[in-house]
Amino acid sequence: MSARDGYRHFLAIPTRWKDNDVYGHVNNVEYYSYFDTVINTWLIAEGGLDIHHGEAIGLCAESHCRFLGEIAFPGSVDAGLRVEKLGNSSVRYGIGLFRAGEPGPAAEGWFVHVFVGRRSRRSTPIPDRIRAALQALLVEPVP
């Protein structure tokens, strides 16, 4: 389990009424939406990812989430992001979801993007600007 200082970037994501399930907490599928949101917000804002017309796109090859505590509406999630492994055409992110102001995560997981050509869907090197943005998040390998 990682504390907040194990992440290089944070994005505050407000929970929404629709995120809660009948048990009164955020449904597990929404946690993956938070993963997607923190990753793609970073790629667009810092890496210049053009989601509509760019030649390279990132496809999810693998994801995992370990649920450690409840998140609920109303509230806010501090989504922590780091890069754990950066390859030629793939990247593994580490994500921690923290309730606002709490030191330990309510959930943690990983997400692997493989960059491919938009049309060919074949592996392609990570574009230079995106690579530079990802390198800014790179941490030592997590055991």
Side-chain angles (χ1 to χ4, degrees), residues 3 9 17 22 24 32 37 44 57 101 129 139:
H9 170 72
W17 173 257
V22 298
Y32 287 98
T37 298
I44 292 165
I57 59 173
R129 184 170 170 201
V139 296

Side-chain angles (χ1 to χ4, degrees), residues 68-90:
L68 302 164
E70 294 182 351
I71 297 172
F73 173 87
S76 183
V77 176
D78 294 335
L81 182 64
R82 63 182 175 220
V83 168
E84 297 174 347
K85 184 174 183 202
L86 185 57
N88 182 52
S89 62
S90 66

Side-chain angles (χ1 to χ4, degrees), residues 29-42:
V29 299
E30 297 299 333
Y31 288 62
Y32 287 98
S33 176
Y34 301 151
F35 284 11
D36 240 358
T37 298
V38 68
I39 291 166
N40 286 296
T41 299
W42 178 265

